[in-house]
Amino acid sequence: MLKSFTRLWLSGARQVAKTQRSQQKKLLKSLLPKPAAKARRSASPAPKAVAPAAAKRASPNVRQRAATIPAPIRLPGKWMTFYYSSLADGVLPARRMPYWLYIPASAPAGPLPMVVMLHGCEQTAIQFAQGTRMNALAEEKGFAVVYPQQSLRGHPNRCWHWYERSTQNGGDDVQLITGIMDKVCASYPIDRGRIYVAGLSAGAGMANIIALRHPDKVAAVGLHSGPVYGAGHNKVGAYGVMQMGAAHLADQAIRELMLKSAAFPGMPAILIQGREDKVVRRVNLDQLTLQFRMLNGLDAASESAPVERLGRPGGKRYAHPYRLHDYRRGRKLVLRVCEIQHLEHAWSGGDCHLKYNACAGPDASRMMWDFFTRHRR
């Protein structure tokens, strides 16, 4: 009788453990951004500004599923691969991080501005460069671009740990990325007063932390579909932030940061968000806006009336309608908030043959660079 009961108990315990493992896998999987599902023509009405012929086409957010990935465009500049080791700077334990660097052939005489680009989950540096087309823009405008890459050892899906408290405090991957920035500046003619950081999703979360923890190194930051700063602190909490924001923790995190850095110089920012993003929901945009208003001392008088921009229906330059909301200190633009209609969790105006990129504009890369050119340290 006792043996029978023991066997029955062990069998039940195994079943419970199996169920728990299954639930944990589902939860962890849900923390990662997923490619948008194929849109059905009846899923949502076409915007009024879109011509009937254009409305019948598949959404540019979705074409990536059927099309083959084209070869990257060959550019005349230098496209180089490096590794950074924290051991070289005496940081223990020793860690390495790969990064890619683009130096344009059209570089003007003198030091170059530089943009640090941080990819999202399930992306590589090369995919992010191709998807955002930032190298082509760098060749046109004459700036350097560096792409740090999260390793598979650092995270099995190459996510940045923006939600970890140690990362938010400036440790872990933040040290590696800033080490890469310093190494590039020491090796190439980079203008240290014109260094900018940008990212998508988890990369936006990390870009934000780097800018806030190292305002002496960063002149402005660009966040596309990014989570609010200062909350999460574990994987389950991170998912909660992505879906619901951080409520009172958002204000608290900025107040604590400003108390620790009494001489915080402010941080110009451009924030871009898709209204149909179900991975990092727009509540994060609202809370990030409040955070950057606090950081930059922007009161109600600094706020301009929102400007609505119409989309372009059809053609190679198809673009969604979007709203710009600017905040100025005097005549200087300090904060720009861009909310794009119909855009899901994807880089706006990118190469939609690659995941997490939308062919339809506006062009997020160009918008960010246009904003960055207004600022320097």
Side-chain angles (χ1 to χ4, degrees):
M1 179 68 179
L2 180 59
K3 290 182 179 180
S4 176
F5 177 77
T6 301
R7 283 196 299 270
L8 181 63
W9 183 85
L10 287 173
S11 176
R14 292 190 192 100
Q15 186 63 36
V16 170
K18 182 178 180 181
T19 301
Q20 289 177 339
R21 286 194 298 270
S22 176
Q23 291 175 341
Q24 289 170 353
K25 287 180 180 178
K26 290 180 180 178
L27 177 59
L28 293 179
K29 187 176 180 181
S30 71
L31 293 178
L32 301 174
K34 301 175 183 178
K38 287 189 177 181
R40 297 179 181 176
R41 293 183 180 179
S42 60
S44 58
K48 293 181 180 179
V50 176
K56 293 180 181 179
R57 297 189 184 101
S59 166
N61 292 340
V62 180
R63 290 177 196 159
Q64 61 189 20
R65 300 295 171 262
T68 57
I69 299 175
I73 299 173
R74 295 182 66 88
L75 297 170
K78 295 181 180 179
W79 181 232
M80 300 166 284
T81 309
F82 301 94
Y83 276 90
Y84 168 76
S85 172
S86 63
L87 189 60
D89 294 330
V91 178
L92 295 174
R95 292 183 58 198
R96 292 206 316 165
M97 179 174 286
Y99 65 96
W100 280 253
L101 175 66
Y102 186 78
I103 301 292
S106 62
L112 291 174
M114 183 173 76
V115 178
V116 182
M117 293 285 285
L118 298 175
H119 61 79
C121 294
E122 299 182 340
Q123 288 182 316
T124 65
I126 293 176
Q127 290 169 345
F128 195 45
Q130 184 177 349
T132 61
R133 300 189 180 98
M134 190 63 82
N135 288 355
L137 184 62
E139 189 62 47
E140 176 188 338
K141 300 295 185 180
F143 60 91
V145 197
V146 62
Y147 301 85
Q149 179 175 284
Q150 176 65 285
S151 67
L152 291 173
R153 177 178 293 182
H155 191 283
N157 289 290
R158 299 193 189 277
C159 299
W160 304 102
H161 300 276
W162 58 269
Y163 50 85
E164 295 288 358
R165 195 182 299 273
S166 57
T167 301
Q168 293 175 2
N169 289 336
D172 301 333
D173 290 335
V174 176
Q175 294 176 315
L176 294 176
I177 295 169
T178 54
I180 289 171
M181 293 163 60
D182 291 340
K183 183 178 178 180
V184 174
C185 289
S187 304
Y188 294 89
I190 302 299
D191 184 346
R192 291 178 181 265
R194 292 188 292 166
I195 296 176
Y196 314 99
V197 187
L200 170 68
S201 191
M206 181 59 74
N208 196 7
I209 293 169
I210 291 169
L212 298 185
R213 289 296 172 181
H214 295 275
D216 57 317
K217 297 180 185 289
V218 179
V221 65
L223 310 181
H224 197 315
S225 312
V228 68
Y229 166 77
H233 304 150
N234 56 56
K235 292 179 180 179
V236 176
Y239 181 69
V241 171
M242 291 158 63
Q243 293 295 299
M244 297 176 290
H248 66 282
L249 293 177
D251 287 352
Q252 180 180 329
I254 294 302
R255 294 185 192 283
E256 290 177 358
L257 178 69
M258 295 178 72
L259 283 174
K260 292 178 181 178
S261 305
F264 190 86
M267 181 54 60
I270 177 170
L271 313 177
I272 301 176
Q273 176 75 28
R275 293 196 68 177
E276 301 304 318
D277 193 334
K278 301 299 190 297
V279 177
V280 180
R281 294 183 183 269
R282 71 175 303 278
V283 63
N284 286 272
L285 177 69
D286 295 336
Q287 294 180 2
L288 281 169
T289 300
L290 291 175
Q291 287 186 329
F292 278 99
R293 289 186 65 177
M294 291 175 62
L295 284 166
N296 292 293
L298 299 172
D299 56 19
S302 67
E303 184 176 357
S304 302
V307 176
E308 302 287 346
R309 297 287 175 87
L310 297 177
R312 288 188 295 269
K316 290 184 178 180
R317 300 186 66 189
Y318 178 90
H320 295 307
Y322 61 98
R323 170 185 289 185
L324 288 179
H325 204 164
D326 290 343
Y327 299 81
R328 301 176 185 272
R329 186 183 297 114
R331 298 178 62 183
K332 189 175 184 64
L333 177 62
V334 178
L335 174 62
R336 168 161 284 176
V337 182
C338 177
E339 189 175 1
I340 304 172
Q341 293 186 33
H342 315 299
L343 179 66
E344 299 174 359
H345 192 68
W347 188 275
S348 182
D351 183 346
C352 58
H353 296 97
L354 295 163
K355 288 194 300 184
Y356 311 121
N357 289 276
C359 282
D363 186 335
S365 296
R366 195 171 294 272
M367 289 179 70
M368 286 190 178
W369 176 247
D370 288 346
F371 179 83
F372 292 159
T373 57
R374 302 167 185 261
H375 301 281
R376 65 177 304 145
R377 277 288 176 232

